[in-house]
Amino acid sequence: MFDAVSGAMRKHLMYGLALLTAVAGLTLAGPGTERAEALGACSGRKVKTVGFATGELRIYKSRRYACAVTVSKRPGVRQVMQVTIQARGSRAAKDSGRFTHRAGPVTVYALNRCVRAHGSVGAEKASTGWILC
């Protein structure tokens, strides 16, 4: 009797383990992983993209907030990156360091305010001037 119970339990445990492994594999490396990462960077809609030789500066806007991220054209290579966003009349929010994919996101409160953003990857940089006024 114990062999029958342990066999059934073993079968259910193996099934559960196989299911857990499959779900973990799809979660970590399934299709759309890059899209999910990009969507998690900034909320709101993309309002401006400024390209430069080594990357892109992307600005997003929701009703109350503006967000910026600098993305490298060569992901995977650790390099110096920076992103800064500032709402008119406020301090700038900044993220800088040696990253492999992107700097940011950085977010500022920007309800009814102009914003400006700067981004750099390596020696190349870009900025927007005052936008969203």
Side-chain angles (χ1 to χ4, degrees):
M1 181 168 176
F2 288 112
D3 289 332
V5 172
S6 64
M9 262 177 110
R10 194 171 335 154
K11 181 179 175 183
H12 288 294
L13 286 174
M14 293 302 288
Y15 175 72
L17 182 61
L19 184 62
L20 183 63
T21 303
V23 168
L26 288 174
T27 301
L28 295 176
T33 302
E34 294 172 4
R35 180 170 163 77
E37 181 182 330
L39 291 176
C42 285
S43 63
R45 62 184 175 85
K46 190 187 310 183
V47 292
K48 187 151 185 99
T49 301
V50 181
F52 52 98
T54 55
E56 282 184 347
L57 172 63
R58 298 176 186 168
I59 296 89
Y60 297 81
K61 178 79 166 89
S62 63
R63 174 150 167 70
R64 295 181 181 194
Y65 295 94
C67 178
V69 63
T70 300
V71 180
S72 171
K73 284 189 178 175
R74 294 183 342 173
V77 177
R78 189 167 297 278
Q79 51 196 330
V80 176
M81 293 186 197
Q82 178 178 329
V83 64
T84 306
I85 189 168
Q86 179 183 13
R88 192 177 295 245
S90 298
R91 290 185 172 200
K94 178 180 175 180
D95 184 26
S96 63
R98 293 181 55 82
F99 304 109
T100 57
H101 181 64
R102 69 170 183 250
V106 289
T107 303
V108 293
Y109 183 77
L111 182 64
N112 300 323
R113 294 184 185 181
C114 302
V115 297
R116 65 180 172 186
H118 307 277
S120 66
V121 178
E124 299 293 322
K125 56 187 170 183
S127 65
T128 62
W130 292 107
I131 60 171
L132 306 177
C133 296

